[in-house]
Amino acid sequence: MRKSVIFVNFLAVFCASAHGFSSSSYAQTLTSSLYQQGLTDGVTVLNGTDAASFYIRVPADTPIAGARLRLHMAISPGLLKPSVLQVFVNGQPRDQLSIGDVDESAAERTVTIPLSARDLAAHYLAVRVSPVFVTSANPCENANVGRGYVHVLADSGVSFDTALDGLKSARGFLDMLGGTVRVWAPTPGRDAAQFQAMLAVATYLQAQGRDVTWVDGAGAADIYIGRDEDFTALNLPPLKGGALRLLRGGPGVAPRLLLSASARNMLLLRPWTDLLAADSYAASTGLPGTARTIIPLGSLGVTDSPLPISSNAEWTLSLPVDAMRRQVSSSLHLNMIVPPSLPGNPLLLHVFQNGSLRAVKALPEAGGALTENVPLVESQAATAETLRVQVVRQTSLGECAAPLAPSYVQLLPSSFLQARGITTPSGTLDGFGRTLPDQAAVYLSDDAFRMPARWMSVLAGLANGLGLNPYLLSLRTGAAVPEDGQSFIWLRDDVPAGFSSPVRFDRGRIRVAESNGRVILDAPPLPGIELAAIVRRGNQRGLWLKSGGDDAPFRPLGFSAVAADLAFMDAQGQVSALDTRTADAAATGPDGAAVSYPDYQSWLDRLNSVRLWLFGAAWLVVTVVFLSIMRRLYARRSSKHDS
């Protein structure tokens, strides 16, 4: 059986309600949906051998009442009446509903399951949906061709009532934040410390799928970032040297969180927020980590639990960006326990790396404990790397003529990934984040510290997308320039001095041609379009993000997945990408380059355009000089002859 697992962090939207609490409580109903977590397409189960699981975080240190699980599903028509869907909560069966004999007009179904205090006792609420599709009365046809789908729609989730004046911990407050969070910070900004405090908050909230609204002055907020004098001016208690403090709410008063703008709050970043069980904390710091070349799969989520296997079983592993920083995967060492197979029909082991097949191996027919080593491609992979291990059972006679008895297969946590360090910077956008150091240098415009809110969206997107710790970034403004050999992020309008870029915006009209010479773009300097590009100086590389207007760059959506050195983006994300490293060598356009500037002429271009005139003028000058010399020589000879 194949399992696809999706981890869903808790996200709440506030709605007025008061059920299950006293009238003095500041009570509200909260709902956590898949859409609010960024799973805008929901979760899909494609056939009867799949089981989709997702985990919803249960708020800590918070009174909860009336909790219920609501699943809104779209079901494929054409299934017969025996088709059912089983729903499990925390591993226990909670409901089974018929999904067969449904026409297209009634293909949506909603089920609501009450949740008990025992269901909510764990840190996460685990939900699993497992279908059985029946499309034919012949069981052999169902085993081989019967297919259907169940689509758990994005508005599915968990709802419950809570009294916000009962919040006792900072982690409970963070769990209860709504889809849009108001954050107060002084304007204008003061220094790099305040900038990093704001960036840490923006990075955390953006990672949770929440939107941030920045307020100042006397505006009300959920989170306040400032110094003691700022809090005093707002009639809020000072932190007195602390770094974080929760102000509990009451009737008509919402709880608020105060954060120091001068002290570091490393506990605010995942996974440390789970430790915020109190309401106030002193400053917390951290140092750059040391990369491990041996990464146990147990640290990536592999457990001692075996998987049932009828036809196949698989594990999907997402490698943490921070664990793979400045490293590439070298090999995969798998310790497994597998069942015996039919003679001549061994189990097949498939290993995928970022969706590409790396190995297909036949396992011993006797089964039992075994070890397999799988080499991986040591290229500078994308910043986000995924490994998938699949075990497939086969029978040459078919599942009906020779059905396979259900069994189990286990991938042991002692399995590990072997990594190797790299020092060469990446030349593509998708791999650049992997080659950045923990203390990456970020070059900002001069007004960044005075107007920090303008930069929070783009920098929080970079921190989350590239796995960077906001408190470890080296933020630089003014006349600072990249140091030799340093990989960096450049957020200024112009290319850093001494570096070349795949595209320039100071040379007028831009023309982009494919390798066959076909012009795909011929336009002015693209107002309103963002740019993400790799800039070069020798072996040194940097990431350049250029704004399309007067504001700071948009949140960089999509460019970190581009296997090229140039991407054009708008406010919605990536527009198009081009790898000029290969296009420059293969292009046959009129200007002989993938990116050219028809309206721009350098002094060499101007010289080349008038080369015939220059040649003619030079020839004329040489001719005149030659004739002048010959005339003088003739005159001298004539005077000697006369003498």
Side-chain angles (χ1 to χ4, degrees):
M1 181 177 67
R2 178 188 173 194
K3 292 188 176 182
S4 61
V5 180
I6 300 175
F7 290 91
V8 181
N9 291 322
F10 183 82
L11 178 64
V13 173
F14 291 93
C15 305
S17 181
H19 301 290
F21 297 98
S22 66
S23 59
S24 63
S25 297
Y26 180 48
Q28 293 184 334
T29 296
L30 300 105
T31 300
S32 172
S33 70
L34 301 180
Y35 181 88
Q36 294 164 343
Q37 296 303 310
L39 299 174
T40 55
D41 295 327
V43 180
T44 301
V45 188
L46 293 178
N47 58 65
T49 62
D50 281 346
S53 299
F54 53 93
Y55 296 80
I56 301 177
R57 178 174 176 146
V58 177
D61 316 313
T62 306
I64 291 176
R68 56 269 184 198
L69 171 66
R70 177 181 175 274
L71 297 177
H72 182 201
M73 297 168 290
I75 301 170
S76 60
L79 299 176
L80 299 184
K81 285 186 176 180
S83 300
V84 297
L85 179 73
Q86 297 174 326
V87 181
F88 297 80
V89 175
N90 292 338
Q92 302 299 317
R94 296 298 296 271
D95 201 354
Q96 177 170 301
L97 61 151
S98 174
I99 57 174
D101 199 17
V102 176
D103 58 30
E104 294 186 4
S105 62
E108 292 191 7
R109 191 76 59 85
T110 299
V111 57
T112 301
I113 300 174
L115 300 174
S116 65
R118 182 176 180 180
D119 295 328
L120 303 173
H123 196 56
Y124 289 91
L125 182 73
V127 181
R128 180 163 59 96
V129 291
S130 179
V132 176
F133 297 135
V134 179
T135 58
S136 171
N138 185 339
C140 290
E141 293 183 8
N142 286 310
N144 292 282
V145 300
R147 291 293 182 265
Y149 68 81
V150 170
H151 181 194
V152 182
L153 300 178
D155 60 350
S156 301
V158 174
S159 299
F160 51 82
D161 307 320
T162 184
L164 296 184
D165 58 353
L167 288 175
K168 299 178 180 179
S169 68
R171 65 184 181 184
F173 172 84
L174 295 173
D175 287 341
M176 292 297 185
L177 286 173
T180 299
V181 182
R182 301 165 300 172
V183 182
W184 185 95
T187 302
R190 296 190 179 99
D191 51 25
Q194 177 189 322
F195 193 99
Q196 285 186 310
M198 296 174 63
L199 180 56
V201 172
T203 301
Y204 170 79
L205 295 176
Q206 194 179 101
Q208 307 306 309
R210 298 178 168 106
D211 295 323
V212 180
T213 298
W214 296 96
V215 299
D216 55 13
D222 304 299
I223 299 176
Y224 290 81
I225 303 173
R227 299 176 179 173
D228 284 354
E229 55 267 30
D230 300 319
F231 299 142
T232 301
L234 295 171
N235 295 321
L236 298 173
L239 292 175
K240 296 181 179 179
L244 179 152
R245 180 179 178 184
L246 173 67
L247 302 181
R248 301 185 185 184
V253 178
R256 292 155 293 176
L257 189 67
L258 306 185
L259 298 175
S260 172
S262 55
R264 292 190 172 188
N265 291 282
M266 201 71 75
L267 289 174
L268 188 63
L269 305 176
R270 291 288 187 190
W272 310 117
T273 48
D274 292 342
L275 304 179
L276 298 176
D279 59 2
S280 60
Y281 288 87
S284 51
T285 60
L287 298 174
T290 301
R292 296 180 296 171
T293 57
I294 301 295
I295 303 176
L297 298 193
S299 66
L300 302 179
V302 175
T303 67
D304 290 322
S305 300
L307 291 184
I309 179 172
S310 56
S311 59
N312 67 79
E314 72 175 42
W315 298 261
T316 300
L317 309 172
S318 296
L319 304 184
V321 177
D322 54 351
M324 297 303 297
R325 189 168 306 286
R326 314 200 79 162
Q327 293 193 123
V328 292
S329 302
S330 177
S331 61
L332 192 60
H333 185 94
L334 300 175
N335 297 324
M336 309 181 73
I337 301 176
V338 300
S341 54
L342 298 175
N345 293 270
L347 295 172
L348 296 180
L349 173 67
H350 298 146
V351 177
F352 299 84
Q353 181 184 20
N354 284 342
S356 298
L357 183 63
R358 297 297 181 224
V360 179
K361 291 190 175 185
L363 301 182
E365 293 181 359
L370 55 89
T371 296
E372 293 288 342
N373 289 305
V374 179
L376 299 175
V377 176
E378 295 187 10
S379 61
Q380 289 187 358
T383 300
E385 184 174 354
T386 300
L387 299 175
R388 184 157 58 95
V389 179
Q390 183 184 58
V391 176
V392 178
R393 301 179 80 186
Q394 56 178 347
T395 168
S396 57
L397 299 177
E399 294 182 5
C400 285
L404 298 171
S407 187
Y408 290 87
V409 61
Q410 185 168 0
L411 177 63
L412 299 177
S414 58
S415 305
F416 62 87
L417 174 73
Q418 177 77 51
R420 180 181 60 83
I422 54 175
T423 56
T424 305
S426 174
T428 60
L429 294 168
D430 63 340
F432 186 78
R434 180 179 289 235
T435 59
L436 275 174
D438 287 322
Q439 296 174 302
V442 181
Y443 294 86
L444 304 164
S445 65
D446 293 339
D447 66 343
F449 291 165
R450 291 186 294 103
M451 305 179 67
R454 296 176 55 236
W455 297 89
M456 290 300 109
S457 180
V458 60
L459 284 176
L462 281 173
N464 285 315
L466 304 183
L468 300 172
N469 186 322
Y471 285 119
L472 298 181
L473 295 179
S474 177
L475 304 175
R476 305 183 184 184
T477 60
V481 295
E483 301 173 2
D484 291 340
Q486 175 192 65
S487 295
F488 60 93
I489 298 173
W490 188 265
L491 295 176
R492 299 179 184 176
D493 289 336
D494 300 319
V495 180
F499 285 80
S500 62
S501 168
V503 67
R504 300 283 296 266
F505 287 89
D506 56 354
R507 296 183 175 181
R509 198 165 89 254
I510 299 172
R511 177 180 293 166
V512 180
E514 290 183 331
S515 58
N516 60 6
R518 186 174 70 90
V519 176
I520 58 177
L521 176 68
D522 193 338
L526 306 174
I529 295 297
E530 302 294 302
L531 168 74
I534 299 295
V535 294
R536 310 178 182 89
R537 183 176 65 184
N539 292 326
Q540 188 176 3
R541 299 291 183 268
L543 171 62
W544 180 33
L545 290 180
K546 183 185 182 302
S547 172
D550 296 331
D551 295 330
F554 301 123
R555 176 180 172 181
L557 301 174
F559 85 86
S560 58
V562 175
D565 63 350
L566 175 63
F568 297 105
M569 304 172 292
D570 62 9
Q572 305 303 318
Q574 177 189 340
V575 176
S576 59
L578 181 69
D579 194 345
T580 63
R581 301 173 305 162
T582 57
D584 284 346
T588 58
D591 297 305
V595 180
S596 59
Y597 313 93
D599 298 338
Y600 175 78
Q601 286 187 328
S602 65
W603 68 271
L604 286 175
D605 295 329
R606 295 188 181 94
L607 189 64
N608 186 57
S609 65
V610 296
R611 65 184 185 276
L612 293 179
W613 290 100
L614 292 175
F615 179 78
W619 179 260
L620 178 61
V621 170
V622 170
T623 302
V624 170
V625 171
F626 176 77
L627 292 176
S628 176
I629 294 173
M630 293 301 296
R631 184 176 180 180
R632 291 182 181 181
L633 291 175
Y634 180 77
R636 289 180 180 179
R637 288 181 180 179
S638 297
S639 61
K640 289 181 179 181
H641 180 72
D642 293 341
S643 299

